[in-house]
Amino acid sequence: LKSLLSYESKLVAKSEAAQARIFPDNLLINKSEAQLLSSWCGRSVHVFPPYISSATRPYKRSWDGAPVFVFLGGLDVPHNAVSLENFIDGYLPKIIEDIPGVLIRVIGKNPAPSLVELVKKFPLHVRVEGYVDSLDEVLHGACAMLVPLLFGSGVKLKTIDALSYGLPIIATDFGVEGVGVSTNHDCIVENDLSKYGYWMEKLIDPNFNQQISRNSYELYLNNYSKSSVINQYSAIFRI
């Protein structure tokens, strides 16, 4: 099976490289994938950000200093469901020891019965809230967003959403895939889940939180806001 998948992968790469050579311009939204395609086809591959059709919201946080964190995403999506349960079961007990008042608000549709049962062990520290009509209150008022994904692919729009609110993020590489963050400047990128508690404690400090928050909002304005994306598209298409 591995040999078959390897052979198929090589065929796909060959086909993609051939297609890319046909066109004068090739565009991808993921930098690492753009570099890979460029190495295959010998052509320059442009990287452009996804366009999220919403007006840029003003910077308006209402976080009061409480250790309230958010997990956001469809709970029937495998990489969300598996990663969240792994995080709660394997790492939350130690985090509670270090941050007794910690609360994780889980926002997303269709939680699995296994998740519902798991959070019953932590009634004061995990709240599964399901779908909410507006994220404003949730994201404006949180300390940070947690994205402890163990696997996944594609650009995580929820990460860009958090940036647009100026909400600090603690994420694995999978959680910021395709998003041009600078580690520990505008986002905390941490693949060792045992260290999430350390970063959560750090972000409870208002000064550090404000620093990351401002940087994350600035990253959004410079790279993902409507005006920025339009300017980048115009440069790529020479219009």
Side-chain angles (χ1 to χ4, degrees), residues 52-59 164 217 220-221 224-228:
I52 302 174
S53 57
S54 60
T56 299
R57 57 181 57 84
Y59 184 81
S164 75
Y217 186 69
Y220 173 80
L221 292 180
Y224 299 103
S225 64
K226 181 177 180 179
S227 60
S228 173

Side-chain angles (χ1 to χ4, degrees), residues 140-193:
H140 279 312
C143 176
M145 186 167 80
L146 306 177
V147 197
L149 298 186
L150 300 173
F151 60 96
S153 61
V155 176
K156 304 300 182 292
L157 296 183
K158 64 184 176 184
T159 301
I160 297 177
D161 261 341
L163 294 173
S164 75
Y165 281 88
L167 178 63
I169 302 162
I170 310 173
T172 61
D173 285 333
F174 291 111
V176 293
E177 186 174 2
V179 184
V181 298
S182 299
T183 303
N184 301 348
H185 175 73
D186 40 49
C187 178
I188 306 300
V189 181
E190 180 57 76
N191 291 307
D192 184 348
L193 299 188

Side-chain angles (χ1 to χ4, degrees), residues 1 37 46-47 62 97 147 177-178 201 207 212 221 232:
L1 180 59
L37 180 59
H46 298 286
V47 180
S62 56
E97 288 181 17
V147 197
E177 186 174 2
E201 276 196 279
N207 292 327
I212 299 294
L221 292 180
Q232 293 177 70

Side-chain angles (χ1 to χ4, degrees), residues 6-16:
S6 177
Y7 178 67
E8 185 176 349
S9 177
K10 290 176 182 178
L11 288 179
V12 170
K14 184 178 179 179
S15 174
E16 290 182 350

